Amino acid sequence: MTLYFTTDHEWVSVEGDSGTVGVTDYAQGQLGDVVFVEIPAAGTTVTKGTAAAVVESVKAASDVFTPVSGTVTEANAALTEDPALVNTAPETDGWFFKLTLSDPSELDALMDESAYKTFVASL
């Protein structure tokens, strides 16, 4: 399993041609207390860099952009019942959706964990 990051603070964990998408700990910290999450249903086709989910916090509503293109295979139903999972476990149980990657070469444009940490430190 390999982890990739975007400059918009999303992550994707990839195993084979499957990916799991969420937001980083840095992002949840910037959002504040998450009160609602809208996630794509299974079967939805998403395109890299486009809004795929919405997060509403006490501060504002924000789009979550998909780091890669593909077809959603599973939405995290636990987020619907407990949106605060985004705050308490953003990079584990607070994942948003799983998808089948349509173009694995898109991963080449994303950052690894070390590069992402350097990026966040520069903010």
Side-chain angles (χ1 to χ4, degrees), residues 7-85:
T7 55
D8 291 322
H9 308 288
E10 290 91 9
W11 57 264
V12 58
S13 173
V14 177
E15 187 167 349
D17 66 347
S18 298
T20 303
V21 175
V23 298
T24 66
D25 186 56
Y26 177 84
Q28 71 79 23
Q30 296 297 305
L31 288 165
D33 293 335
V34 174
V35 295
F36 178 78
V37 176
E38 181 180 315
I39 45 182
T44 303
T45 300
V46 295
T47 303
K48 178 182 177 178
T50 61
V54 177
V55 175
E56 290 183 25
S57 69
V58 293
K59 292 182 179 178
S62 302
D63 289 330
V64 175
F65 302 100
T66 181
V68 290
S69 301
T71 302
V72 175
T73 58
E74 181 181 352
N76 187 355
L79 284 184
T80 305
E81 296 177 18
D82 185 10
L85 278 174

Side-chain angles (χ1 to χ4, degrees), residues 70-121:
T71 302
V72 175
T73 58
E74 181 181 352
N76 187 355
L79 284 184
T80 305
E81 296 177 18
D82 185 10
L85 278 174
V86 175
N87 295 115
T88 59
E91 297 179 16
T92 55
D93 294 338
W95 57 274
F96 281 67
F97 58 91
K98 296 183 179 189
L99 76 167
T100 300
L101 281 66
S102 61
D103 183 1
S105 71
E106 292 176 341
L107 297 169
D108 296 341
L110 302 177
M111 293 180 277
D112 64 15
E113 189 167 7
S114 176
Y116 179 71
K117 285 181 179 179
T118 300
F119 170 71
V120 169

